[in-house]
Amino acid sequence: MKLIINVFGNLLWVLSIFWAYQKISGMKVSQKKMGGVVLLYFLTLLIEKLIHVDKLVLYLSQVTGIHLMLFLGLEIFVVCWIITLLLFDRNIKRSMFLTAAVCTGVQTIFLALNGVVTLVADGDRQLYYFLNFPMTALLLAAVYLIVEKLNLARLFREFEYRNDSFPVTLGITLFILLGYDMLSFLMTAASRSIWTQMLPCLFIIIIFTLSMVYLLNIVSLKDKKKYSDMMLRQQELYIQDLEKIQQNMRVFKHDYKNMMSSIYLQSREGNTEEIEKTISRMIDDFDEEIGKKMNLTNQLANIQMNEVKSLIYQKITIMNQLHITLHLEVLYPVCDVKMNIMDLCRVLGILLDNAIEEVKDQQGDINVVLSSQEEGLHIIVDNQLYHEVNMTDIFKEGCSTKGGQRGMGLFSLGKIIEKYSNVTNAVQIKDHRFIQEIAILKE
């Protein structure tokens, strides 16, 4: 009975680690991958029994003089990291840091709950093992509440945006692991009472919770400021467009009077051919100067996500300055996308920036289609292609058709997309045009 409680209690504990990892990193929780975790967990137990890991840890402690709990903590971290690399995330830097952070957080909660159970059991071993069931349930509930209510996924995205170097990330990871080792040492000191052992853990949990709330408030304020700046910029661009339309209308009104006078004189002379040419020129001028602006405004009105609308407004301004022709088509209102809004803006920004970079020297054209369908949102960006493209290398870090340091866009795009199981990316070259389609399915 004791063995069953330990094995399956630890299994749920391990599953909570990888559930938290997927949620924090922005992945969709995969039942198939969680099943893989179960298989690797039992395989690890078998290997531990065969090579007697407990004796190895004790031997390392005796040889090095380093406290036993450091090796135990590193053992758990290394096993979880290997599982992460095999099943969830091949990015060494990101997986190393996040695995250490999640493992340490879950283990700290476990130590606190285990202290409570030990206190309640008061030396009764049967009661202690019986209380492991509610303790495991409380552990899972605590992990769920902390991950969801503290919005740790948003905080982790802020860490990713920092893009720290590998040595910095390694240093932070080691600091987290050593911090947990010190906490474990304080809690397992034999000379201390159970209440005294629990105090460091409770203190860490309180400090962690308050720190996360504080950081989340900072990030929230940052997002609100960014959102306010985007809305202000959008309003400015919208007002500029209205002013241009109004100005063009005044010019057209003036030209309209002159053209009507010309048509009147031509009609009196019976010159029907010139009348047809004048009317045709009037229609073309209206479509070019005013009709396009009005059509663009109508298309943007279908985008009901202000962050996306603001981003496209900004890119339109850049294209106008570079004399790039844009054909924008938004089919049906775009209002609900199963993707983080900031990641969506990053994806769309990369696609548009790459297209602008390719055509700006030639004043080429760009087509953008946002199609909101029943199964999800489809984004198509295609542009004229003026350089040779190696389709097998375009998503590699540093790869670019134009040299220099311009090759990070599609590499970053791939890293964003791989976090989502419901997002696909298709690339093709057709008729000297580079076409990229992103499908964000509702599942």
Side-chain angles (χ1 to χ4, degrees), residues 55-99:
K55 293 182 180 180
L56 176 62
V57 169
L58 182 60
Y59 174 75
L60 290 173
S61 299
Q62 293 172 346
V63 171
T64 62
I66 299 175
H67 189 258
L68 180 70
M69 290 306 296
L70 173 62
F71 293 111
L72 290 176
L74 287 177
E75 176 202 345
I76 295 168
F77 163 70
V78 170
V79 171
C80 289
W81 189 24
I82 291 172
I83 294 175
T84 300
L85 290 172
L86 289 174
L87 296 178
F88 298 98
D89 193 349
R90 300 295 174 85
N91 186 303
I92 294 177
K93 185 173 71 171
R94 180 173 61 232
S95 61
M96 176 180 65
F97 164 76
L98 190 53
T99 301

Side-chain angles (χ1 to χ4, degrees), residues 156-405:
F156 179 68
R157 284 196 302 275
E158 194 68 24
F159 174 82
E160 277 198 301
Y161 295 153
R162 284 162 48 94
N163 196 25
D164 293 323
S165 64
F166 184 83
V168 172
T169 305
L170 178 62
I172 296 173
T173 302
L174 292 175
F175 178 79
I176 292 172
L177 294 173
L178 289 173
Y180 171 73
D181 178 58
M182 292 177 61
L183 176 64
S184 301
F185 175 76
L186 290 172
M187 292 194 65
T188 55
S191 60
R192 308 171 74 91
S193 68
I194 188 64
W195 280 108
T196 310
Q197 290 179 36
M198 287 176 57
L199 285 176
C201 188
L202 293 174
F203 177 75
I204 293 295
I205 291 175
I206 292 172
I207 293 298
F208 170 80
T209 303
L210 292 176
S211 299
M212 292 300 101
V213 171
Y214 175 73
L215 291 173
L216 192 59
N217 285 334
I218 292 177
V219 171
S220 179
L221 289 173
K222 180 180 177 181
D223 287 345
K224 287 180 180 178
K225 184 179 184 305
K226 188 174 183 179
Y227 179 77
S228 298
D229 292 342
M230 291 175 69
M231 289 297 295
L232 182 62
R233 179 61 178 162
Q234 177 183 326
Q235 291 174 0
E236 290 175 352
L237 293 172
Y238 183 69
I239 291 172
Q240 290 176 10
D241 279 347
L242 288 178
E243 290 176 345
K244 288 180 180 179
I245 291 174
Q246 187 179 29
Q247 182 180 3
N248 290 336
M249 285 295 290
R250 287 197 296 265
V251 172
F252 183 79
K253 181 180 178 181
H254 180 267
D255 292 343
Y256 176 79
K257 290 181 178 179
N258 292 334
M259 289 180 179
M260 290 305 296
S261 299
S262 175
I263 290 173
Y264 175 73
L265 293 175
Q266 290 165 358
S267 65
R268 293 191 64 177
E269 296 173 359
N271 193 344
T272 57
E273 184 177 345
E274 287 298 323
I275 293 175
E276 290 177 359
K277 289 181 179 179
T278 302
I279 293 175
S280 177
R281 189 164 61 250
M282 288 175 63
I283 295 173
D284 291 341
D285 289 345
F286 181 85
D287 287 340
E288 182 176 357
E289 297 298 328
I290 301 172
K292 287 183 180 180
K293 286 285 184 183
M294 294 179 68
N295 179 63
L296 187 61
T297 302
N298 291 333
Q299 296 298 322
L300 286 170
N302 271 336
I303 303 176
Q304 298 177 7
M305 305 171 71
N306 288 320
E307 297 88 347
V308 177
K309 184 183 294 187
S310 180
L311 172 70
I312 294 179
Y313 258 123
Q314 180 185 3
K315 301 306 178 185
I316 289 173
T317 302
I318 295 174
M319 293 182 201
N320 288 337
Q321 293 171 349
L322 296 173
H323 305 289
I324 296 172
T325 302
L326 170 67
H327 304 282
L328 175 65
E329 190 171 2
V330 183
L331 303 177
Y332 311 109
V334 178
C335 55
D336 183 25
V337 179
K338 295 297 182 181
M339 187 179 192
N340 176 268
I341 187 64
M342 297 310 296
D343 284 341
L344 175 60
C345 287
R346 289 174 66 195
V347 166
L348 191 55
I350 290 170
L351 295 179
L352 294 175
D353 286 341
N354 286 351
I356 292 171
E357 183 69 26
E358 178 64 21
V359 305
K360 67 178 184 180
D361 295 332
Q362 307 292 334
Q363 295 183 3
D365 68 283
I366 298 173
N367 297 322
V368 179
V369 177
L370 276 71
S371 178
S372 182
Q373 302 176 16
E374 184 176 347
E375 69 272 15
L377 176 66
H378 292 260
I379 301 173
I380 302 174
V381 177
D382 79 88
N383 56 270
Q384 289 175 297
L385 194 60
Y386 299 99
H387 300 85
E388 292 293 328
V389 175
N390 187 339
M391 295 292 286
T392 60
D393 294 335
I394 56 174
F395 285 96
K396 293 182 179 178
E397 187 172 5
C399 176
S400 172
T401 62
K402 302 184 73 174
Q405 300 297 318

Side-chain angles (χ1 to χ4, degrees), residues 27-138:
M27 301 177 183
K28 183 180 182 294
V29 177
S30 170
Q31 294 181 355
K32 183 178 179 180
K33 291 181 178 179
M34 294 296 272
V37 171
V38 174
L39 292 177
L40 289 173
Y41 168 75
F42 284 108
L43 179 62
T44 303
L45 288 182
L46 179 61
I47 294 173
E48 285 183 341
K49 292 298 181 183
L50 291 175
I51 65 175
H52 301 288
V53 171
D54 52 344
K55 293 182 180 180
L56 176 62
V57 169
L58 182 60
Y59 174 75
L60 290 173
S61 299
Q62 293 172 346
V63 171
T64 62
I66 299 175
H67 189 258
L68 180 70
M69 290 306 296
L70 173 62
F71 293 111
L72 290 176
L74 287 177
E75 176 202 345
I76 295 168
F77 163 70
V78 170
V79 171
C80 289
W81 189 24
I82 291 172
I83 294 175
T84 300
L85 290 172
L86 289 174
L87 296 178
F88 298 98
D89 193 349
R90 300 295 174 85
N91 186 303
I92 294 177
K93 185 173 71 171
R94 180 173 61 232
S95 61
M96 176 180 65
F97 164 76
L98 190 53
T99 301
V102 173
C103 283
T104 299
V106 174
Q107 289 179 93
T108 302
I109 298 171
F110 171 78
L111 287 176
L113 293 174
N114 187 64
V116 174
V117 170
T118 303
L119 183 64
V120 173
D122 193 23
D124 188 337
R125 302 306 296 174
Q126 288 186 339
L127 179 59
Y128 173 81
Y129 286 112
F130 176 78
L131 291 175
N132 269 259
F133 289 107
M135 182 184 71
T136 302
L138 286 173

Side-chain angles (χ1 to χ4, degrees), residues 339 347 395 412-425 436 438:
M339 187 179 192
V347 166
F395 285 96
S412 299
L413 177 69
K415 289 300 178 183
I416 297 170
I417 291 175
E418 73 179 13
K419 296 192 303 182
Y420 297 89
S421 61
N422 64 316
V423 180
T424 59
N425 181 24
Q436 202 156 0
I438 306 292

